[in-house]
Amino acid sequence: MPRDGAEESTAPVDGQAALSATATDDTVVVLDRPRGRETHRFDNPTETGVPLTFMVVGASHGWVEVQLPVRPNGSTGWVEEEDVDLATIPYELRVSTTENELTLLEDGKVVSRFDAATGTGQTPTPTGRYYLTELIEPTNPGYGDYAYGVSAFSDVLNEFGGGPGQIGLHGTTEVDTIGESVSHGCIRLSNEDITALTTLLPLGTPIEIT
């Protein structure tokens, strides 16, 4: 349950609303700099059928720098602004792996705090600033009622459960694990809490893990 109290490049500063960039075409080409070399090419929608969405980290003269959902964690690239729809996101998530707690902020102010499960010492949840890449209703009951993909990947697992070791923020029916360091790197919430968050958080929402 929530415990109520969330070239020249310019990036969002602390306290400033985040920006998401959602693809408008079937394919998005990512360059290493404006008008530079191609580094990645992404299909839209994604393999799970959701809109391809990035988190904006900078901008320059008709181009936006975005964080990419690839290894290594925190990778960025540039896309043409005309190829994406930009949207302001008032929400932010902060996860403490030492306190096993997730905090929801809106416009920089704490809204709620949730007990969470995070990774073990052998399979830690990767720290850094990432974003929510997708929202699905898992068919595997181990992931609860809903699961957000996170643009971070495990530092120790190259694959897990048939996937590439991508970190998730998801529900669980194993309520006794909430508040503990027990996962393979994912962040677990109760099904009630993750369901509540799905009514608020759009893709592209920042999530800071410490």
Side-chain angles (χ1 to χ4, degrees), residues 1-208:
M1 292 291 293
R3 304 199 303 276
D4 293 333
E7 311 190 330
E8 179 185 0
S9 173
T10 56
V13 298
D14 191 39
Q16 188 178 56
L19 284 177
S20 65
T22 302
T24 57
D25 294 325
D26 294 340
T27 303
V28 172
V29 176
V30 181
L31 308 182
D32 63 347
R33 63 186 185 280
R35 294 174 292 277
R37 177 181 59 86
E38 179 180 331
T39 59
H40 298 84
R41 187 176 290 253
F42 294 93
D43 292 330
N44 178 48
T46 68
E47 289 184 359
T48 55
V50 303
L52 175 64
T53 304
F54 306 102
M55 179 177 70
V56 175
V57 298
S60 178
H61 309 295
W63 294 79
V64 287
E65 185 181 15
V66 297
Q67 187 177 116
L68 306 176
V70 300
R71 298 179 189 269
N73 288 338
S75 296
T76 65
W78 292 84
V79 300
E80 290 196 75
E81 187 172 339
E82 65 182 19
D83 291 338
V84 293
D85 283 334
L86 301 179
T88 301
I89 297 179
Y91 299 105
E92 178 180 354
L93 298 174
R94 294 179 184 172
V95 176
S96 169
T97 58
T98 56
E99 300 295 329
N100 284 315
E101 181 180 80
L102 181 146
T103 301
L104 170 67
L105 298 91
E106 182 177 7
D107 296 324
K109 298 180 180 179
V110 173
V111 174
S112 298
R113 291 187 173 91
F114 304 85
D115 291 323
T118 59
T120 69
Q122 289 70 43
T123 55
T125 303
T127 58
R129 186 171 176 82
Y130 308 109
Y131 73 96
L132 304 182
T133 63
E134 61 186 344
L135 174 61
I136 61 173
E137 296 183 46
T139 56
N140 183 332
Y143 294 102
D145 293 341
Y146 293 97
Y148 280 104
V150 177
S151 62
F153 293 79
S154 171
D155 292 325
V156 296
L157 299 175
N158 290 321
E159 67 87 23
F160 181 77
Q166 183 178 5
I167 299 302
L169 167 64
H170 62 79
T172 182
T173 56
E174 299 176 7
V175 293
D176 57 324
T177 67
I178 301 298
E180 304 294 331
S181 301
V182 295
S183 79
H184 287 90
C186 289
I187 302 152
R188 301 178 189 170
L189 299 177
S190 70
N191 279 325
E192 182 179 1
D193 290 344
I194 192 69
T195 299
L197 289 180
T198 64
T199 67
L200 297 175
L201 303 179
L203 302 187
T205 295
I207 178 168
E208 179 120 21

